[in-house]
């Protein structure tokens, strides 16, 4: 029966896994993360979120030397935002997708490691969703168009069909907090699985030594890439089908209870 001592690291999805439906890391989860860190377990997030949406609400609860997989697997960054590995969307691709999104009236968001940008509709609707620091700016203020990912919200069928015809991007969908459907656009072939492989290389651990925790369908590749997959109680059926174990729901502190048990010697 495997226990925490059989593993070297734990990676967490963020929304509705590490955080509650109120987009907060509960005090019990904060304490559990601290307990894992004292055990020498390497911790990190594996999320579709960009770095700027993690700085204030998430990363303070992780060890100083932690590394994090962000932007759907396109970047690996330190807690302070230093990029350790990345694959970026080419400027031309970003410009073409933004132009198409404007044409079909989509809401979209993208970011570098200092600033988030969106169109007017997205900013008006979702500005306060993820405690972005600093606040979002309009897309026309963006100077460097090489970015790790584009996030579009509740997209139209026409826009989705146009994107599906492209051979130079990867598309992933998930239902996020606020009950909107997020379409994450990353470079061709880049998923959370790629991020996990690079994260393990940088951390000098093997994927089978990693526990992964997630809830949404865009965590499928991530959970299949690690040694032990854990589904939240609020997970989709597809996530439950690939997980080794299902724990309690995030709003019932399911993650904190599970992690506290690991620290105290319970089986994974």
């Amino acid at each position: 029966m495997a226990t925490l001592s059989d593993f070297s690291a734990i990676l967490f999805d963020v929304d509705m896994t590490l955080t509650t439906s109120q987009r907060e890391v509960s005090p019990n989860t904060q304490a559990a993360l601290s307990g894992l860190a004292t055990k020498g377990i390497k911790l990190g997030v594996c999320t579709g979120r960009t770095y700027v949406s993690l700085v204030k609400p998430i990363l303070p609860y992780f060890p100083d030397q932690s590394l994090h997989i962000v932007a759907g697997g396109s970047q690996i960054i330190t807690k302070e935002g230093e990029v350790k590995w990345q694959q970026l969307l080419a400027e031309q691709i970003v410009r073409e997708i933004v132009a198409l999104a404007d044409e079909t009236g989509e809401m979209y968001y993208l970011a570098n490691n200092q600033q988030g940008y969106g169109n007017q509709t997205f900013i008006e609707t979702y500005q306060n969703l993820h405690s972005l620091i600093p606040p979002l700016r309009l897309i026309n203020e963006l100077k460097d168009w090489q970015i790790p990912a584009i996030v579009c919200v509740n997209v139209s069928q026409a826009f989705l069909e146009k994107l599906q015809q492209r051979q130079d991007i990867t598309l992933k969908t998930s239902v996020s907090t606020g009950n909107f459907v997020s379409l994450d656009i990353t470079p061709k072939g880049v998923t959370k699985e790629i991020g996990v492989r690079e994260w393990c290389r940088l951390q000098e651990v093997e994927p089978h030594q990693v526990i992964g925790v997630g809830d949404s369908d865009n965590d499928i590749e991530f959970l299949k890439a690690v040694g032990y997959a854990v589904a939240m109680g609020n997970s989709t059926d597809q996530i439950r089908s690939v997980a080794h174990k299902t724990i309690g729901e995030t709003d019932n502190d399911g993650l904190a209870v599970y992690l506290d048990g690991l620290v105290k010697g319970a089986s994974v």
Side-chain angles (χ1 to χ4, degrees), residues 8 42 67 198-206 209:
S8 300
K42 295 178 179 179
L67 296 181
E198 294 297 327
W199 188 89
C200 288
R201 178 183 61 82
L202 291 167
Q203 294 280 33
E204 299 183 339
V205 301
E206 296 295 328
Q209 297 174 300

Side-chain angles (χ1 to χ4, degrees), residues 8-14 17-18 33 36-37 41-47 54 58-59 61-63 65-70 76-79 195-196 199 203 210-214 222 226 255 259:
S8 300
I10 306 180
L11 285 169
F12 306 92
D13 174 52
V14 173
T17 296
L18 193 63
L33 291 173
L36 289 166
I41 299 296
K42 295 178 179 179
L43 304 173
V45 303
C46 184
T47 179
L54 297 169
I58 306 298
L59 295 188
Y61 307 120
F62 283 81
Q65 302 305 313
S66 57
L67 296 181
H68 305 277
I69 304 164
V70 302
I76 298 176
I77 60 168
T78 68
K79 185 176 178 179
V196 168
W199 188 89
Q203 294 280 33
V210 180
I211 298 171
V213 191
F222 155 40
V226 299
L255 181 61
L259 297 179

Side-chain angles (χ1 to χ4, degrees), residues 48-185:
R49 286 211 209 181
T50 56
Y51 174 73
V52 291
S53 68
L54 297 169
V55 174
K56 181 179 178 181
I58 306 298
L59 295 188
Y61 307 120
F62 283 81
D64 290 341
Q65 302 305 313
S66 57
L67 296 181
H68 305 277
I69 304 164
V70 302
S74 296
Q75 284 186 322
I76 298 176
I77 60 168
T78 68
K79 185 176 178 179
E80 302 302 322
E82 178 186 355
V83 176
K84 292 297 186 179
W85 176 88
Q86 67 181 1
Q87 288 193 29
L88 301 179
L89 287 162
E91 176 177 345
Q92 186 60 32
I93 293 173
V94 178
R95 288 186 179 275
E96 289 173 359
I97 291 174
V98 165
L100 178 62
D102 287 337
E103 180 183 318
T104 56
E106 314 299 333
M107 291 185 286
Y108 58 84
Y109 158 81
L110 48 83
N112 53 36
N113 287 347
Q114 292 78 43
Q115 178 67 57
Y117 300 83
N119 61 350
Q120 186 67 46
T121 309
F122 183 95
I123 292 175
E124 291 175 353
T125 306
Y126 297 109
Q127 171 65 65
N128 296 320
L129 187 63
H130 287 321
S131 301
L132 293 170
I133 303 296
L136 288 173
R137 293 180 180 175
L138 287 170
I139 188 67
N140 58 14
E141 298 182 51
L142 179 63
K143 304 300 181 184
D144 184 358
W145 286 72
Q146 280 194 300
I147 50 94
I150 303 170
V151 178
C152 300
V153 178
N154 293 339
V155 300
S156 68
Q157 188 62 31
F159 179 65
L160 179 60
E161 289 175 356
K162 288 284 189 181
L163 293 181
Q164 289 172 334
Q165 295 172 13
R166 300 186 69 110
Q167 303 298 311
D168 52 3
I169 56 176
T170 297
L171 305 175
K172 292 292 177 184
T173 59
S174 64
V175 178
S176 186
T177 49
N179 294 318
F180 64 84
V181 178
S182 169
L183 177 67
D184 298 335
I185 305 169

